[in-house]
Structure formats: structure tokens, C-alpha cells
Amino acid sequence: MQTHLKNYVYFELDDTDFTAKTIQSPRANGSILIPRSVKHRNQQYIVKTLGENSFRDNKNITSIEFAGDSELLTIEKEAFSESSIRTITIPRYVTEIGEYSFLSCSQLKTISFSENSSLFSIGKRAFSESS
């Protein structure tokens, strides 16, 4: 496992299947673009997961956007809880939104789902105490 920084978003890289997931990124701010992949040492790592607590308590983010060809599958537990996120469009291939993912996001105004969404599971209290 390795970490890689791109626009103040940190990624954990998995060399066994060349996938990446976001990890705690306290300096991320503004409108964040999560790319389809990150490149490290001439290898592409496909972003499959927004990891647990990735943007938790982050008071500087406003929106999360994803590359049009995103292969994101999972938004893990508490990924955005208590953050300042205002808008997010859930990518097509996301199958799971973990529990407490958007807990206490008082500025959250818009959640959109991509056409032909694959969403299968929304964890308990995923949007509890959010606007």
C-alpha cells in the first residue's frame, strides 16, 4: 500500500489489483474532482472507493465531482460526515453508500444520482441530520 497526493486529496494505492481509494484528506478544499484513476510510477490505479472518514469534519469542501468515466463502486462509512459539502452526484457504478456517510452535513443541498444508477445499498443513518 502506498499513498499519493493529487490536489490535496490523498489516495491509498493497492499494488495487487491496481486500485485506489481516497483516505483522510484534511487539506482538500473547494470543488473536488475525483479522477477515474491516479498515476504513480507509470502505473494507473483505478479509483474504486471513497474511503472511511476521507473528508470527515472537512469544513473547506463545497462539492465533489467525478470524472465522466468514473469506476467508483463504494462510498465508505462516514466519508463526508460533519463536512461542509453542498452538492454531490453519485456516479453510475456506485453500489453502496456506507452508514453515516453524510451524517450532519448541514450545508448539503443537492444529491443527484447518475442515470442508470447501480446503487443497491444505503447504510443506516447515511443522511441523518443533514439538510
Side-chain angles (χ1 to χ4, degrees):
M1 303 285 179
Q2 305 166 356
T3 58
H4 179 75
L5 171 67
K6 183 173 178 121
N7 299 327
Y8 299 109
V9 176
Y10 291 91
F11 295 91
E12 182 176 272
L13 308 177
D14 187 333
D15 289 326
T16 60
D17 61 0
F18 301 107
T19 59
K21 77 174 183 177
T22 60
I23 58 174
Q24 199 165 30
S25 300
R27 292 180 54 202
N29 63 69
S31 182
I32 306 298
L33 173 65
I34 304 294
R36 176 184 175 276
S37 64
V38 291
K39 187 175 182 178
H40 180 70
R41 295 188 180 161
N42 294 321
Q43 177 63 52
Q44 293 290 333
Y45 293 80
I46 305 298
V47 179
K48 296 284 189 173
T49 305
L50 293 184
E52 186 172 329
N53 298 313
S54 288
F55 302 99
R56 181 187 173 104
D57 294 320
N58 185 314
K59 303 301 184 195
N60 300 309
I61 59 172
T62 56
S63 67
I64 302 291
E65 298 176 26
F66 298 89
D69 56 353
S70 174
E71 294 186 36
L72 190 76
L73 297 174
T74 307
I75 299 173
E76 290 185 342
K77 178 180 178 180
E78 300 186 58
F80 295 98
S81 69
E82 301 182 44
S83 73
S84 60
I85 188 169
R86 294 180 189 149
T87 64
I88 186 169
T89 298
I90 308 298
R92 176 181 183 187
Y93 297 110
V94 170
T95 59
E96 178 183 0
I97 296 175
E99 59 188 30
Y100 310 108
S101 293
F102 296 89
L103 175 73
S104 296
C105 291
S106 61
Q107 296 182 48
L108 185 61
K109 301 294 183 211
T110 306
I111 304 164
S112 303
F113 295 88
S114 296
E115 192 172 316
N116 299 320
S117 174
S118 300
L119 188 61
F120 179 76
S121 171
I122 298 177
K124 71 179 181 180
R125 301 190 69 201
F127 298 97
S128 184
E129 300 176 37
S130 292
S131 59

